[in-house]
Amino acid sequence: TTSCIHLGSSWSNTVLILNLLDKFLFITPFWATHIPATIKFPEIFDISRSDVSSVLSKAFIYNKLLLVTVTYDGDNMPCMQDFLFHLKIKNLKNKKIGIIQNGSWGPIAGKITFDYLNNLKELKIIEFIPTVKSKMKESDKTEINKLLTNLIK
């Protein structure tokens, strides 16, 4: 599987999700034993700390993308908004996309991301969007496991 992760993180809690994903994707912890070892996310991009053009080009290389986004003032973080805008104007297609949202006060970034990308043609966007409320919890693992299992199919 050829996949990459794009995330935006304002307070580093979203980056902490990657600690779980790293274990999930490369170590296969006890709670993810049924996930095939073929899951690989060779590149991870924090779009809140990267130039959009450098991470944008990578979105077109991979056939599966995982977008990990944060709710910020009732929307996506500005860097994710910019990234999504560029995906749209560059006509991203033929991809399978999973979304994880983070937010403690009315998380909605995942739905906004889904709705925005759902208007593009030839994208398969997984409708199930796990929510992490601020910091990663043990109970979030099952939800993320479900999303990633669907993403690799």
Side-chain angles (χ1 to χ4, degrees), residues 73-151:
D73 288 341
D75 205 331
N76 272 311
M77 287 183 56
C79 60
M80 183 61 82
Q81 291 174 359
D82 189 41
F83 179 68
L84 295 173
F85 171 77
H86 282 85
L87 291 178
K88 183 177 182 177
I89 64 171
K90 298 290 186 187
N91 196 28
L92 183 73
K93 60 183 172 181
N94 300 321
K95 309 290 180 193
K96 187 172 184 182
I97 299 176
I99 302 166
I100 299 173
Q101 68 179 351
N102 189 357
S104 54
W105 301 328
I108 194 166
K111 180 182 178 342
I112 291 168
T113 301
F114 179 90
D115 290 346
Y116 190 83
L117 293 175
N118 202 34
N119 291 323
L120 300 179
K121 296 178 182 178
E122 301 178 48
L123 289 181
K124 180 176 175 153
I125 306 166
I126 299 169
E127 291 186 35
F128 176 72
I129 301 171
T131 299
V132 175
K133 292 193 175 178
S134 192
K135 291 186 179 180
M136 188 70 164
K137 296 168 195 62
E138 190 68 28
S139 60
D140 297 326
K141 293 177 182 178
T142 303
E143 302 294 304
I144 292 174
N145 187 342
K146 181 178 173 183
L147 172 72
L148 294 179
T149 300
N150 194 338
L151 184 61

Side-chain angles (χ1 to χ4, degrees), residues 7-10 15 45-51 55 77 79-80:
L7 71 102
S9 182
S10 55
V15 173
F45 305 99
D46 185 347
I47 61 174
S48 62
R49 290 165 177 74
S50 303
D51 178 61
V55 296
M77 287 183 56
C79 60
M80 183 61 82

